[in-house]
Amino acid sequence: IYSSEEFNNNIKSLLDEGYSYNLSCSKALQKEIISKELIKNFSLPNNILAIQYLKALENTNINVHLIKRIDNNYYDAYTTGSISSATSIRELMKNNVSFNEYVIDSNLNYIDINKSYEKLFLLFKSKVLLNNINYNNINGIKEGIENRIITILKKTTSYYEFINKMVTKRYSENYIQRLILYILLDIHKLNQYNTFNRVLGFDDNVEKLLKNRKVITTLKNNKLLEYDIELKASILYSLITDNNDLYLNEFNIPIRRKEK
């Protein structure tokens, strides 16, 4: 189904109507199959991602092993079993509730999510209200949403308040969150960029696979626009999480492990 031209055309039409990608997939599937359970499973976020991986692996000799997710799905806000979703852990963190039983090491220095989001909101609000932004060039911009952003920003004082007031049938929470980053990082229409592979670490067995491929190993001395965006994203993360020097890791070379 996912490979059929008719199915993909249906998704495109639904996206043009303003539906989110997940909802577009679900509605398109309803035209192809009857089983509600199958539609529900297809529409789960990690399953949609897995299907895209499977599509990309068509006509390759890569063997795929499926692992069933148990206890909680990705977007479940409350833990119902012994294994928690990432969303549930973030909710516990935001509400200052202990999450130690769901993580491997509870002694790590976890970031303050609430504080980070409020810093992100202040940076975003400052940029939008103090700068003349050409929204036509920003990736993901839908006609007229910039007016809604400016109006609601002037009336809100926190990240969560802004998100809640921005969300509509047309604009999902995930879409608004992505748009904040697109605007902050000056990410233009995605067809203006080149693609590349960023290598963070490798061993001797993988090194030969990297030859003759378009890869980068560090942002040092790289001047292309794509690298500038990645560096700005790291600086932004450093700022909102109080890890002021974290972005310097972008200039390090990959970790290389020697085979014994």
Side-chain angles (χ1 to χ4, degrees), residues 58-195:
E58 286 182 351
N59 303 317
T60 72
N61 59 357
I62 296 176
N63 295 320
V64 177
H65 299 276
L66 303 180
I67 301 175
K68 184 178 180 179
R69 191 181 185 104
I70 60 175
D71 284 349
N72 285 102
N73 288 313
Y74 183 81
Y75 281 126
D76 286 350
Y78 301 98
T79 300
T80 57
S82 60
I83 300 176
S84 176
S85 68
T87 301
S88 177
I89 292 176
R90 283 192 289 269
E91 285 297 315
L92 293 173
M93 294 173 73
K94 285 192 290 186
N95 294 307
N96 295 315
V97 178
S98 175
F99 54 89
N100 293 349
E101 61 183 295
Y102 303 118
V103 295
I104 296 175
D105 189 348
S106 60
N107 295 317
L108 294 176
N109 182 27
Y110 292 97
I111 65 172
D112 186 325
I113 291 181
N114 293 326
K115 184 178 178 181
S116 297
Y117 275 139
E118 293 317 312
K119 284 189 172 185
L120 182 69
F121 174 73
L122 287 176
L123 289 170
F124 177 66
K125 188 171 186 176
S126 298
K127 176 154 188 174
V128 170
L129 298 184
L130 298 179
N131 294 275
N132 185 20
I133 301 172
N134 184 356
Y135 291 96
N136 292 327
N137 290 333
I138 299 296
N139 186 59
I141 285 289
K142 297 177 181 179
E143 185 178 356
I145 194 173
E146 65 271 20
N147 298 320
R148 182 175 177 83
I149 289 174
I150 294 171
T151 299
I152 292 179
L153 269 180
K154 291 178 178 178
K155 298 178 180 179
T156 52
T157 58
S158 73
Y159 176 84
Y160 298 117
E161 182 187 10
F162 173 74
I163 294 292
N164 289 335
K165 289 187 176 180
M166 281 295 300
V167 169
T168 64
K169 173 187 173 182
R170 180 182 173 94
Y171 307 132
S172 69
E173 181 176 344
N174 285 341
Y175 167 70
I176 299 301
Q177 290 174 326
R178 288 195 300 270
L179 200 55
I180 289 174
L181 295 180
Y182 290 154
I183 293 172
L184 271 174
L185 299 175
D186 294 315
I187 297 180
H188 294 170
K189 307 296 183 182
L190 292 184
N191 59 9
Q192 299 179 21
Y193 299 105
N194 298 308
T195 58

Side-chain angles (χ1 to χ4, degrees), residues 46-58:
N46 277 11
N47 288 350
I48 291 176
L49 178 61
I51 290 168
Q52 297 304 321
Y53 283 142
L54 292 173
K55 286 175 63 178
L57 292 175
E58 286 182 351

